[in-house]
Amino acid sequence: ICDQLLAESKHYTHSGMQQRAPNSMNNYGVVLTEIGMKQSFDYFLKRYTAGLGALFFGEDDVRPAKIGGDDTHLENWGGDSLNDHRTFIVRYRPDEDQHLDMHVDECDVTFNFGLTDSAAFTGSDLVFCGMFGSEQPRKHLHTYSHVKGRCVLHSGKRRHGALNVETGERASLIMWTKSTTYRSSESYKQRWGPSATVKAEKETPDRICISYTHDADFSSLRLKLGDAVGVCPPSVK
């Protein structure tokens, strides 16, 4: 299925038919829900991903407190009532979108499926940092190397990004899922949007977690922390 999705994506890209960028930060890829595949992924959400969302980002009495002996720190983000999605493919190449700057997603729960063989690219690791509104939103937590056919599931409001792809090409299938029920709740409004409670940052951010797109203090932090890790604006060589 990974190969078939990639083949369909490339076929549509070269078809000459109307298309637009997957989102405001990715320029290369295809929005699958806009090219006749919405019903397929509606079913995929109901049959598969909604259950995972409920388990890991649903009610308190369902979410696991530990996995493999480690604390999960999972929170309720409406995972038990996911009912909408935007599904698309993004691609990274050294001569196109080389990386993805740090950000949070416009969704409640994100599903990120690796579509490309690991041998087809180098670099492009996915980096996870803190939660929006927390005391450590720019604290590095984990770096993940994509595996074909494997899905990474995370809260949309966890800061994350993709490091530079060094060689080859990497593609991912992304499902941005939402819960209209949870988004209408007071709990959601307190955590996201104009009325959200945002705690003061406690520590100096990790360089790998700062964003040149979203952070007003990027330039000053970059001077202080250097460029040994993390990404830089495309125009900066």
Side-chain angles (χ1 to χ4, degrees), residues 72-88:
T72 61
H73 302 291
L74 295 170
E75 300 174 334
N76 184 0
W77 281 96
D80 57 347
S81 54
L82 298 175
N83 65 332
D84 193 14
H85 68 96
R86 177 180 173 85
T87 301
F88 51 91

Side-chain angles (χ1 to χ4, degrees), residues 115-149:
L115 297 180
T116 312
D117 286 318
S118 300
F121 65 93
T122 58
S124 201
D125 287 347
L126 192 60
V127 176
F128 291 99
C129 302
M131 289 293 294
F132 171 82
S134 70
E135 295 176 338
Q136 296 180 310
R138 298 185 288 182
K139 183 73 173 177
H140 178 230
L141 296 179
H142 184 69
T143 298
Y144 172 79
S145 297
H146 276 277
V147 177
K148 182 179 180 180

